[in-house]
Amino acid sequence: QIYNTQNSPQENMNISLSPITSPNTSLLLKPSIHWYYSNPGGSWNPFSYRDSEKLEAAYSTRSSGSDEVQLQVSTDGGRYDVNMAARQRIPVYWDGLASAIRRCSWFYRGNNDIMQPYNEDKAKILEEHYATAVKLKTFPMRVELGNGETVIINSQTMMVQYTHLAAASEQNAPRLGKR
């Protein structure tokens, strides 16, 4: 059996092994999911690998329709609680603002070369198109995300996002993306 080694984003020390299934000789790997929380400045930081696994377990239980739904998950050594229904990270021992959380599988290189997660709706669109491109071997594939954002999936390992400015003739430099 073939295995895929996947690192969680920005955590090179934590490696998980997942079996690869290859129907019709197309290798479509299950996406590596990691959870992030927002900072007041608008950037996103990853939860620890352990917290991310707890959040994913709670999400999976909730998604499967189980009666044992865990709506609140303790993170950061008990300093924060995550409300899964509201998608918020809330400080436990002090007054502070809640921050948004996000389930992430697709990332783009943002400012200062830091990988930032796509929102969940865009990640779902990218995953659907990626799966189609891998199964049908139709690379490159152009994906319109709305608001002037276009992603070109060139291969199983290469993607580029173009973000258009207000003026039709101007365009930002393309951003590299990662699954």
Side-chain angles (χ1 to χ4, degrees):
Q1 194 169 30
I2 302 171
Y3 284 89
N4 175 41
T5 305
Q6 297 178 350
N7 291 25
S8 61
Q10 300 177 352
E11 288 191 14
N12 294 327
M13 299 305 292
N14 298 311
I15 298 174
S16 62
L17 296 177
S18 59
I20 296 173
T21 57
S22 55
N24 301 328
T25 66
S26 295
L27 294 178
L28 179 60
L29 307 176
K30 182 180 175 185
S32 178
I33 304 296
H34 203 80
W35 287 78
Y36 277 64
Y37 61 91
S38 67
N39 286 324
S43 64
W44 292 84
N45 284 345
F47 281 97
S48 71
Y49 187 75
R50 184 176 188 182
D51 286 344
S52 192
E53 283 184 333
K54 290 190 321 187
L55 293 167
E56 185 61 20
Y59 174 85
S60 296
T61 302
R62 185 170 181 235
S63 296
S64 68
S66 172
D67 291 336
E68 298 179 24
V69 176
Q70 186 177 1
L71 292 178
Q72 191 155 307
V73 178
S74 177
T75 63
D76 297 282
R79 293 181 303 225
Y80 290 90
D81 284 338
V82 169
N83 181 320
M84 295 298 289
R87 293 288 176 104
Q88 291 185 330
R89 177 178 176 251
I90 305 158
V92 173
Y93 299 111
W94 61 92
D95 291 332
L97 297 175
S99 59
I101 66 165
R102 188 178 283 179
R103 183 176 185 259
C104 307
S105 58
W106 284 85
F107 303 84
Y108 63 89
R109 190 173 307 278
N111 297 336
N112 300 326
D113 286 338
I114 296 173
M115 297 303 283
Q116 294 294 310
Y118 281 99
N119 72 42
E120 293 178 52
D121 293 333
K122 288 182 181 180
K124 183 177 179 181
I125 292 168
L126 287 169
E127 189 62 32
E128 289 169 357
H129 282 83
Y130 175 81
T132 300
V134 170
K135 288 177 184 174
L136 301 177
K137 297 180 180 169
T138 54
F139 293 108
M141 179 175 275
R142 183 184 184 102
V143 182
E144 299 293 335
L145 295 177
N147 295 330
E149 292 178 288
T150 302
V151 171
I152 299 176
I153 303 173
N154 292 306
S155 69
Q156 284 185 269
T157 58
M158 176 66 173
M159 150 186 127
V160 180
Q161 176 185 349
Y162 296 92
T163 305
H164 303 281
L165 297 173
S169 63
E170 295 182 28
Q171 181 173 320
N172 282 334
R175 299 191 287 194
L176 295 179
K178 176 182 176 184
R179 176 178 185 245

